């Protein structure tokens, strides 16, 4: 039976260390300040905002939420970003996704000062990520690498298959894993014969958002299976992986909940603290 990769445990450990770093900053008069812009009333976003706030409070980071109406204009959003960019007290800025349709998201993301871009979504930070000289890492990808490192699971030469090509999960994870000398394939909804790829994966990462999609048949024996998906099914939160069946075949796998989710929130706070340190030359 596959060993669980306990994301919750690691997130708690890292939170403890992060609190110590924040305490040191505070002793020097620096309090990390993180601003989240939420446009509209997406119900999942409200849950994610609360989760982030709890974590920020626990660590000692100031989190401010800028709640904008569903019909917010592009001009007003850009004006807010300009104000936050210029505010010396602000260390990190992110736009909570999804944003309403009238918002030109790429234009808004481009407006964020790269030095305050906690999600690593500005064009220059995305470019740096692929170039390998980045100073901020997208939270989910950062959390996945932290988990593999914690369990001393080496990426070098490993055949990695990532399902999902979003700019917040699949693409940045591919960039970081490539940097660690893995051989990476990115699959998506138009991929033909998905099983031909997944069955060869030493490390299979699913970020499709499709409950139960990863059956045991799709998994190579003794693979490492990372389940990023968060889905609601029969009133429960489940991942993309058919957990009980895949556990019989995989060597390691992450649970949902308690896997990548808690690490993502913790990793986001790490990015805020890193940017704060960088801004203050610490
Ligand atoms: P997106 O919807 O932006 O991307 C989903 C990706 O999966 C797309 O690239 C899509 O392909 C691909 N995909 C969907 N269905 C299939 C399929 N049947 N076969 C192959 N590929 C498929 O989602 P996100 O990247 O934002 O999130 C993905 C999942 O991860 C969601 O469940 C989300 O809730 C969760 N998530 C979890 C986090 C955590 O902390 N654990 C953090 C962030 C997200 P195509 O591009 O062709 O449409």
């Amino acid at each position: 039976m596959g060993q669980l990769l306990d994301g919750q445990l690691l997130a708690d450990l890292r939170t403890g260390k992060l609190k110590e770093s924040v305490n040191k900053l505070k002793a020097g008069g620096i309090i990390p300040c993180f601003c989240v812009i939420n446009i509209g009333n997406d119900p999942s976003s409200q849950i994610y905002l609360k989760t982030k706030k709890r974590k920020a409070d626990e660590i000692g980071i100031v989190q401010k939420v800028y709640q904008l109406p569903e019909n917010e204009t592009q001009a007003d959003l850009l004006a807010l970003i300009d104000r936050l960019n210029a505010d010396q007290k602000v260390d990190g800025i992110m736009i909570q996704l999804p944003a309403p349709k009238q918002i030109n998201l790429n234009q808004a993301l481009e407006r964020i000062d790269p030095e305050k871009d906690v999600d690593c979504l500005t064009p220059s930070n995305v470019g740096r990520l692929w170039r390998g000289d980045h100073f901020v890492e997208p939270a989910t990808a950062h959390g996945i690498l932290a988990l593999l490192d914690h369990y001393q699971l080496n990426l070098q030469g490993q055949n990695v298959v990532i399902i999902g090509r979003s700019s917040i999960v699949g693409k940045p994870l591919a960039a970081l894993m490539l940097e660690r000398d893995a051989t990476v394939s990115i699959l998506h909804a138009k991929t033909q014969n998905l099983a031909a790829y997944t069955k060869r994966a030493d490390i299979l990462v699913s970020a499709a958002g499709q409950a139960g999609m990863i059956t045991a048949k799709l998994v190579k024996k003794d693979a490492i299976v990372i389940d990023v998906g968060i889905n609601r099914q029969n009133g429960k939160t489940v991942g993309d992986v058919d957990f009980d069946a895949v556990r019989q075949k995989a060597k390691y796998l992450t649970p949902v909940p308690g896997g990548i989710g808690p690490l993502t929130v913790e990793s986001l706070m790490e990015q805020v603290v890193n940017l704060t340190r960088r801004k203050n030359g610490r």
Side-chain angles (χ1 to χ4, degrees), residues 48 140 163-166 168-169 187-190 194 207-210 213 228-231 260-261 264:
Y48 293 137
T140 304
I163 306 178
R165 56 175 162 181
S166 72
I168 60 160
V169 185
L187 315 188
H188 47 79
K190 314 285 183 311
L194 191 107
Q210 304 285 333
M213 176 183 159
V228 180
I230 299 179
N231 312 292
I260 302 307
T264 294

Side-chain angles (χ1 to χ4, degrees), residues 42-62:
D42 180 78
S44 311
S45 293
Q46 296 300 333
I47 296 170
Y48 293 137
L49 287 172
K50 275 193 197 138
T51 310
K52 286 185 191 120
K53 176 82 170 91
R54 261 202 309 275
K55 185 53 84 176
D57 286 348
E58 185 186 352
I59 293 169
I61 293 171
V62 173

Side-chain angles (χ1 to χ4, degrees), residues 130 140-141 144-145 148 155 158-179 182-189 191 194 197-209 213-214 224-229 240:
W130 286 95
T140 304
I144 291 171
L145 290 191
L148 293 173
L155 278 155
Q158 296 294 291
N159 197 7
V160 175
V161 170
I162 301 169
I163 306 178
R165 56 175 162 181
S166 72
S167 48
I168 60 160
V169 185
K171 286 178 186 167
L173 182 62
L176 291 178
M177 287 186 156
L178 205 53
E179 213 181 297
T183 303
V184 184
S185 308
I186 307 183
L187 315 188
H188 47 79
T191 298
L194 191 107
Y197 295 90
T198 61
K199 285 200 296 201
R200 288 174 44 221
D202 302 312
I203 303 176
L204 176 61
V205 182
S206 185
M213 176 183 159
I214 306 300
I224 300 167
V225 179
I226 307 286
D227 192 352
V228 180
D240 291 351

Side-chain angles (χ1 to χ4, degrees), residues 50 69 81 129 140 151 153 198 246:
K50 275 193 197 138
I81 294 170
L129 194 72
T140 304
Y151 285 91
L153 301 170
T198 61
V246 169

